[in-house]
Amino acid sequence: MTDVRIVSEALLANGDWRPELFSEYAAERAERMRRLRISAALSSRILNEFGPEAEARRRRIGERMRADPTLQLTQLAAIIGPYAVPEFAFTDETIEKILA
């Protein structure tokens, strides 16, 4: 469900617009933003560091991602949407696997 729909349905269904009414929206948004922050941080780490070590790391990451395409999912979240990507793409274990 989209965030606009969550908020509009809550407002239309209830005349009492206390903050608790938006708890579902707040939880959904927190998770969505968490996933997007992880995706952005990973992309930044891969693409915005320079020098021989960073170039070598990018090469290794590229090889790893070609061998295991699921490792591309974390970065794809920013393009295809944070919920189009499975939860495992945002775990510390997956990020460590990508950057190792």
Side-chain angles (χ1 to χ4, degrees), residues 27-43 73-78 81-91 95:
E28 181 279 328
R29 185 178 190 285
E31 176 60 15
R32 181 169 24 106
M33 293 297 107
R34 181 188 74 84
R35 290 178 178 214
L36 291 173
R37 278 191 298 276
I38 291 169
S39 179
L42 177 64
S43 291
L73 292 172
T74 309
Q75 287 182 283
L76 285 175
Y83 292 117
V85 174
E87 173 57 32
F88 77 82
F90 304 99
T91 63
I95 303 305

Side-chain angles (χ1 to χ4, degrees), residues 28-71:
E28 181 279 328
R29 185 178 190 285
E31 176 60 15
R32 181 169 24 106
M33 293 297 107
R34 181 188 74 84
R35 290 178 178 214
L36 291 173
R37 278 191 298 276
I38 291 169
S39 179
L42 177 64
S43 291
S44 180
R45 177 91 190 269
I46 293 170
L47 300 173
N48 297 322
E49 292 181 354
F50 301 98
E53 290 176 22
E55 289 174 20
R57 184 175 52 252
R58 272 192 290 280
R59 232 181 336 275
R60 287 191 310 272
I61 290 170
E63 290 168 3
R64 226 174 278 124
M65 287 182 172
R66 282 187 292 283
D68 181 358
T70 64
L71 297 178

Side-chain angles (χ1 to χ4, degrees), residues 2-39:
T2 66
D3 55 330
V4 172
R5 180 174 286 172
I6 292 170
V7 172
S8 63
E9 286 180 2
L11 292 172
L12 291 171
N14 193 328
D16 185 6
W17 295 354
R18 289 177 291 167
E20 299 81 35
L21 182 63
F22 302 100
S23 61
E24 181 184 347
Y25 167 73
E28 181 279 328
R29 185 178 190 285
E31 176 60 15
R32 181 169 24 106
M33 293 297 107
R34 181 188 74 84
R35 290 178 178 214
L36 291 173
R37 278 191 298 276
I38 291 169
S39 179

